[in-house]
Amino acid sequence: MLNIPPPDGSRDPRIDDPTNVWLVHPAGRLLLPVAIRAGLPANAVSIAGFAVGAAGAWCYGHWREPGMPALGLALTISWLIADGLDGMIARATGTASVIGRTLDGICDHGVFALIYVALAWSLGTPQAWLLAIAAAAFHAVQATLYEGERIRFHRRIRREAAPDRTDSGANPLVRLYDAVAGSLDRLAAPFDRLLARAGAAAGLARLYGEAATPPLRLMIPLSNNMRVVLIFLACAAGDPRLFWLFELGPLSAVAAAGILWHRQVEARLVREHRALV
């Protein structure tokens, strides 16, 4: 009988999506020993997950048919489980790499791109295609910036150094992904420099974790999980365009508000530290 391994500590539950905490990651941890015994590489799981997500996109393309939105939801949740499992495998086997991280990101964006295409095809109007393209562009930027903020949070509470983004290599997709994810590095740099030289770094990291949790929690609707649920709800309501409009409006506002709040937290902690020295 398999035992579910404990969380590996790569995600702080304070800022994690509740569906990750209660469903997606427990399912991934249940499958992890099986995947390791079978010798499945993380990149292969990423690609297999993409195939499952693509099947979910096909279902959403037929959202008018009874049961198809629910089947699409089930398949995309399965993709989310695979999306979490590949990272667990990479960390458990010590095979994490820049290419694997980028492949994971490309598969994430690729599944949503297929869903958008399927929904636009199902609607069949030029307006739907334009709306889908605009929403996809906003989604790509929102999701990449959100992931950058999450990585920054976890790195800081573990007191790890800021990454050197000059090591992205020659792959243009890797360079593009890192350029977007790291586009806020300069604004966030003052706090990173303070954390690197502060004598009481552990205390500062703890204060940062407490203060930065609210803005990171505000951005949870930008997670893949929430988008999957929103797509299902829009299709079940009979109008997939509702999701795209939500993507362009409310989710953009959430991204902007969360990022601005996060920078304000950093600036306040820097000011308070300077006032003490």
Side-chain angles (χ1 to χ4, degrees):
M1 181 176 179
L2 294 174
N3 293 319
I4 302 177
D8 58 18
S10 62
R11 291 173 178 261
D12 191 307
R14 291 177 296 179
I15 68 164
D16 209 357
D17 187 309
T19 59
N20 276 336
V21 175
W22 297 106
L23 173 62
V24 173
H25 292 156
R29 293 198 301 274
L30 179 64
L31 294 170
L32 178 60
V34 180
I36 291 177
R37 284 207 297 265
L40 292 176
N43 290 349
V45 175
S46 297
I47 294 171
F50 175 79
V52 174
W58 183 87
C59 292
Y60 279 125
H62 298 79
W63 57 270
R64 292 185 178 88
E65 299 178 20
M68 280 301 185
L71 182 56
L73 178 63
L75 288 169
T76 48
I77 288 175
S78 300
W79 156 62
L80 292 173
I81 293 171
D83 184 46
L85 177 61
D86 59 7
M88 294 179 189
I89 293 172
R91 289 186 291 274
T93 58
T95 55
S97 66
V98 172
I99 292 297
R101 173 172 56 85
T102 304
L103 175 64
D104 183 56
I106 290 171
C107 288
D108 287 354
H109 293 309
V111 169
F112 280 107
L114 290 176
I115 293 174
Y116 286 24
V117 167
L119 293 176
W121 168 80
S122 73
L123 293 168
T125 66
Q127 293 83 359
W129 283 103
L130 289 174
L131 190 59
I133 292 170
F138 274 63
H139 175 178
V141 174
Q142 292 166 7
T144 304
L145 290 177
Y146 171 55
E147 183 64 13
E149 294 293 275
R150 287 182 58 260
I151 291 172
R152 185 175 288 111
F153 176 92
H154 286 108
R155 168 175 58 76
R156 286 169 169 172
I157 62 175
R158 292 194 293 262
R159 290 178 288 155
E160 296 174 355
D164 178 9
R165 297 194 184 273
T166 63
D167 66 350
S168 297
N171 189 307
L173 291 174
V174 175
R175 294 203 307 271
L176 176 61
Y177 185 85
D178 279 348
V180 176
S183 60
L184 299 174
D185 284 355
R186 180 173 297 181
L187 295 175
F191 182 79
D192 282 325
R193 289 194 293 267
L194 172 62
L195 188 61
R197 68 174 184 265
L204 182 59
R206 178 183 56 78
L207 289 174
Y208 163 78
E210 294 171 355
T213 291
L216 268 294
R217 287 187 62 83
L218 174 67
M219 289 188 278
I220 284 176
L222 300 171
S223 70
N224 287 343
N225 304 34
M226 292 297 103
R227 283 188 167 96
V228 162
V229 172
L230 290 170
I231 289 169
F232 164 74
L233 291 175
C235 290
D239 191 352
R241 293 172 299 179
L242 294 174
F243 168 71
W244 292 330
L245 293 173
F246 197 81
E247 183 90 71
L248 293 170
L251 288 186
S252 294
V254 166
I259 290 170
L260 178 60
W261 191 0
H262 196 185
R263 300 291 84 78
Q264 290 174 337
V265 166
E266 296 165 350
R268 176 176 60 81
L269 290 173
V270 171
R271 288 194 307 268
E272 290 176 353
H273 184 270
R274 287 174 177 170
L276 294 173
V277 298

